[in-house]
Amino acid sequence: MESNKEINDDFDKPTCTVEATVVTGFELIAKEECEEKIGVGARTERGRIFFDVECKRVKEVSHLRGIDHIYLVVHRVNNFGFPQEKEELKDKLEKLAEEIYWTKGLEVWSYFTGFEKLSLKELINYHPALNESSVSISSTSEQEHGNCIPKFRVTCYRTGQNHNFTSMDAAAYFGGGINDRFHWKVDMKNHDIEIILNIENDDLYVCIALTKTSLHKRNLQHFGPTCLRATVAYNILRLCEIKPGDIVCDPMCGGGSLPIEGVLSWPEAHHICGDNHDLATPRTKQNLEAVNQEMKEIGKKRQVVDIFRWDATQLPIRDHFVDVFVTDLPFGRGLAPKQTIEFYIQKYWNKWLELLNWKWEEQFY
């Protein structure tokens, strides 16, 4: 068993390694945001970034607007050497679960999530055979005692060839090792802790999930058929290099993903939007009102977006007025032949160029 001193000393160690996932293609944008807001360098891989941050600052990572999930990296093995026989693989993954140093990772996870059912010492050293003199649980009834035991699941993400096993096999074997090590309950749906086993060819690394749901699930409560994820909206807007005082226009706003994320992340710019669909502008107003209600509850000021019903080819805006046009075009190849789509894009584009602030038009050309 590990002493309280060892546990406390772990949290005071300088850094922990964080993995943050991002929609493929926006890795450099996520890296830039991390370096700007967290103040640490990050390295990129496809669909994710990795960086080291002080343990006591790990909650700040959840304030990044362009990432989806946050994981804490607790162990990494290069050239793991996956056996061809499943029994050998089972033994090797169970042994790995026993050898990993979990204390620091579980302490950071407990701090990030606010888990209070057990103390960290009880969480790490829990064993059903031990009585309460060894592991003190505040509850006296047997039912409440059982409710204190954390529930966990293991998820395996696997890429590469020459694996003589499935992702489900690897997750089951590694999960069995964790169960032997900690004696936690297994629950695939209502778990407290999710352990991630990432296998890439012959390498692997193990993470603890810090977020249960994706961070893109914000801003929208009234959904249309093709709502843009908030994290994608943020990354698109960040590419626009919006400055204080800019006029930012989304001429095809749909449910309002872009203008709402825009006004939350760049409140010093002026955001206008509109759509021609009967349900789009009411839906945008409803989503903005829901966001403002949340802002009111936490004591922040109301956000303002000007919302219009309009035709995107005949915008009621004077020439050279808009600094940034940004939109998620609401059609694709499933709607019409490629030539037809290109015709409409060119039609919209020519009109919007007339409305752009002249200095930006010159930069575009």
Side-chain angles (χ1 to χ4, degrees), residues 240 249-251 315 317 322-327 352-353 355-356:
C240 298
C249 178
D250 180 356
L315 298 179
I317 301 173
V322 177
D323 295 291
V324 175
F325 273 108
V326 56
T327 194
W352 298 343
L353 282 177
L355 305 180
L356 276 174

Side-chain angles (χ1 to χ4, degrees), residues 157-165 167 199-203:
Y157 298 113
R158 181 177 58 89
T159 59
Q161 300 177 350
N162 302 320
H163 292 154
N164 195 31
F165 58 90
S167 299
I199 298 175
E200 300 174 352
N201 296 312
D202 201 39
D203 303 331

